[in-house]
């Protein structure tokens, strides 16, 4: 149980385009989902927290207009990187919780912006 | 504010040897503590967690960790490692209420034959 999927697993896009990443909880209802960013050989940095049906809460320094988060249902959250630039290239990981004490992580999405 | 320090960025160990990955935390409130493992180009998998109760926590793949409140530590141990344990290990802390996780910098465990 507690499986989280992400799609796509990797994406390459041109600078200036937008990219959408999906995060799904497959066997439980996720009241809260989290989006993280991980640079090579570094730890995970929380970008934002999203609750179903509410606006996401962004961490300090994260541009809400650039990283659009939607949590429209209890099993799906999306992260859209708008007008992507090479510096946005990174590994993006989502996690989900059903309101318990544990976050379950997706497999991650490798974004490369050319 | 909470913080987590993983004292070793890299730990090389020979196969079948014991290993300890160190983790210290700071927090002004009660904490939940976690260890996650990350294999290359993958997400994080929960190894074990401490919420309350017994300070010795057993997890998957033969790992265990001990919560030591006086030393604010939550070190991860395994008595005999395998090649397949080669991965990045992250210690994390949460105050539970906000469910936000604060991660340590990670420890790369390399198992040599």
């Amino acid at each position: 149980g507690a499986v989280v999927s992400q799609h796509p697993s990797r994406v390459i896009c041109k600078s200036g385009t937008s990219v959408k990443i999906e995060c799904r909880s497959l066997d439980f209802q996720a009241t809260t989902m989290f989006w993280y960013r991980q640079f090579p050989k570094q730890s995970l940095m929380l970008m934002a927290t999203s609750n179903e049906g509410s606006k996401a809460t962004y961490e300090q320094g994260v541009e809400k207009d650039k990283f659009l988060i939607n949590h429209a249902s209890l099993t799906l959250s999306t992260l859209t990187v708008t007008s992507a630039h090479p510096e946005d290239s990174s590994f993006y990981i989502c996690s989900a919780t059903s309101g318990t004490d544990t976050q379950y992580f997706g497999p991650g999405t490798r974004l490369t912006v050319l | 504010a909470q913080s987590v320090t993983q004292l070793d960025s890299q730990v090389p160990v020979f196969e079948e040897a014991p290993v300890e990955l160190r983790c210290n935390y700071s927090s002004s409130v009660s904490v939940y503590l976690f260890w996650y493992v990350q294999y290359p180009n993958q997400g994080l998998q929960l190894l074990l967690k401490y919420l309350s109760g017994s300070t010795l926590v057993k997890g998957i793949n033969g790992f265990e960790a001990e919560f030591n409140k006086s030393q604010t530590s939550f070190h991860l141990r395994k008595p005999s490692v395998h090649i397949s344990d080669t991965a990045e290990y992250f210690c994390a802390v949460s105050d539970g209420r906000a469910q936000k996780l604060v991660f340590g910098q990670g420890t790369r465990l390399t198992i040599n034959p």
Side-chain angles (χ1 to χ4, degrees):
Chain A
V3 179
V4 177
S5 70
Q6 278 184 246
H7 178 80
S9 58
R10 56 181 65 218
V11 57
I12 300 173
C13 69
K14 292 183 179 180
S15 186
T17 60
S18 294
V19 174
K20 179 183 285 188
I21 302 169
E22 293 185 349
C23 176
R24 294 182 184 271
S25 57
L26 299 185
D27 52 2
F28 67 100
Q29 293 187 325
T31 53
T32 305
M33 287 184 167
F34 303 84
W35 286 95
Y36 295 84
R37 185 172 179 176
Q38 185 180 31
F39 290 104
K41 300 187 186 302
Q42 294 188 28
S43 190
L44 280 74
M45 298 300 295
L46 180 64
M47 299 174 66
T49 303
S50 76
N51 292 295
E52 185 264 339
S54 305
K55 287 185 178 180
T57 301
Y58 291 81
E59 295 300 299
Q60 191 172 10
V62 178
E63 298 176 61
K64 63 178 70 174
D65 294 330
K66 180 166 190 60
F67 299 100
L68 301 179
I69 292 171
N70 184 279
H71 192 167
S73 78
L74 285 172
T75 59
L76 173 65
S77 176
T78 60
L79 167 68
T80 301
V81 183
T82 62
S83 186
H85 291 284
E87 57 265 29
D88 298 323
S89 297
S90 191
F91 194 52
Y92 292 88
I93 306 176
C94 74
S95 71
T97 176
S98 59
T100 63
D101 44 74
T102 302
Q103 291 183 29
Y104 297 94
F105 285 79
T109 296
R110 171 81 54 199
L111 171 63
T112 303
V113 185
L114 301 176
Chain B
Q2 298 171 313
S3 67
V4 177
T5 301
Q6 291 181 242
L7 298 163
D8 305 297
S9 59
Q10 296 185 62
V11 173
V13 182
F14 286 108
E15 194 173 16
E16 298 184 5
V19 69
E20 179 180 79
L21 305 184
R22 297 181 293 168
C23 172
N24 286 88
Y25 69 92
S26 68
S27 176
S28 58
V29 299
S30 296
V31 295
Y32 296 164
L33 292 157
F34 305 81
W35 275 99
Y36 286 89
V37 60
Q38 184 179 36
Y39 298 101
N41 296 310
Q42 295 187 30
L44 275 65
Q45 180 181 4
L46 180 66
L47 276 178
L48 49 78
K49 60 185 177 183
Y50 171 80
L51 306 178
S52 65
S54 173
T55 57
L56 182 62
V57 180
K58 293 190 183 297
I60 63 171
N61 301 342
F63 284 94
E64 64 179 32
E66 185 156 19
F67 170 59
N68 188 317
K69 188 175 182 179
S70 62
Q71 296 187 5
T72 61
S73 68
F74 190 55
H75 300 334
L76 180 71
R77 295 192 291 261
K78 185 170 182 178
S80 176
V81 295
H82 301 286
I83 293 286
S84 59
D85 293 322
T86 296
E88 190 86 18
Y89 291 79
F90 291 97
C91 181
V93 63
S94 164
D95 66 6
R97 295 169 298 168
Q99 299 177 316
K100 285 186 183 181
L101 282 174
V102 175
F103 284 90
Q105 301 89 327
T107 297
R108 178 165 299 277
L109 176 63
T110 303
I111 311 301
N112 299 306

